[in-house]
Amino acid sequence: ARGYGEWVEFDGSIVRGLAYYSGTVFEGFDKRGELRAICGGGRYDYLLSTFGGSDLPMVGFGFGDAVIVELLKQKDLLPALSPEIEDVVVALSPDLQKHTGAVARRLRAQGRKVDVVLEPKKLKWVFKHCDRSGAARLVLLGQEEWQRGAVKVKDLAQREESEVQLEEL
């Protein structure tokens, strides 16, 4: 059937454990069948009404990242990834969070590898994150510095901190 015969197998015994399915369900496996389902999904016509919306016929699916990783390992296709983060950018107050993206863009435009802390975190957590990711610098957006058009840049290896104007960053 349209060339899918070698890839698709009908199994009428599949049961997905989620009660919102209203029709056909499916699962995808590796060709050898050695792993659990890589993906699964099905038809659900009444899902939206359970959340207060109008019923609408739909089909959806999801992938299992752990299974994909195992499959890539088996096929020796999993790339060796290292964080290689040079700078971590963090706002010291919630109202400065909206500016972290602009600071990160400025650094990335210079070819630096940048990670942005998107949630309010204690500095202890931020320093541990820098250590785990191997970052060389921590860029801090503080109220007083920001008002002067600057940020604090902490050299994590030298344990030195300096104030740097945004246009010099």
Side-chain angles (χ1 to χ4, degrees):
R2 299 183 186 232
Y4 297 118
E6 110 180 52
W7 298 98
V8 176
E9 176 183 314
F10 177 77
D11 181 349
S13 68
I14 293 176
V15 177
R16 304 253 335 141
L18 302 172
Y20 53 74
Y21 289 115
S22 60
T24 304
V25 294
F26 59 87
E27 293 180 333
F29 292 88
D30 60 296
K31 197 166 182 179
R32 292 186 203 155
E34 296 173 353
L35 302 172
R36 66 178 200 251
I38 294 170
C39 69
R43 173 135 185 168
Y44 40 92
D45 295 343
Y46 312 110
L47 181 61
L48 290 181
S49 64
T50 62
F51 296 104
S54 300
D55 287 334
L56 185 64
M58 296 179 261
V59 173
F61 69 97
F63 277 89
D65 59 342
V67 181
I68 292 290
V69 168
E70 284 305 310
L71 187 59
L72 291 173
K73 280 181 187 174
Q74 280 183 5
K75 297 194 171 292
D76 201 26
L77 294 172
L78 189 65
L81 301 175
S82 60
E84 297 181 19
I85 299 297
E86 294 173 293
D87 298 328
V88 173
V89 177
V90 64
L92 296 178
S93 63
D95 57 317
L96 291 175
Q97 185 64 43
K98 62 187 171 197
H99 301 293
T100 57
V103 171
R105 266 191 309 279
R106 181 180 287 278
L107 294 166
R108 288 176 181 138
Q110 298 170 20
R112 297 191 66 82
K113 296 177 177 99
V114 182
D115 185 24
V116 178
V117 178
L118 298 173
E119 302 171 336
K121 296 287 187 180
K122 295 183 188 270
L123 275 178
K124 182 178 180 180
W125 183 94
V126 172
F127 280 108
K128 282 184 180 179
H129 177 66
C130 289
D131 187 49
R132 284 190 304 266
S133 67
R137 301 189 313 175
L138 174 59
V139 180
L140 300 150
L141 282 68
Q143 286 289 357
E144 293 176 16
E145 295 83 8
W146 193 257
Q147 289 174 354
R148 292 192 295 272
V151 293
K152 279 187 184 176
V153 177
K154 184 162 184 77
D155 182 316
L156 298 168
Q158 302 296 321
R159 297 182 181 260
E160 295 175 356
E161 186 175 278
S162 59
E163 187 171 303
V164 178
Q165 292 295 308
L166 288 170
E167 58 271 357
E168 297 171 12
L169 190 60

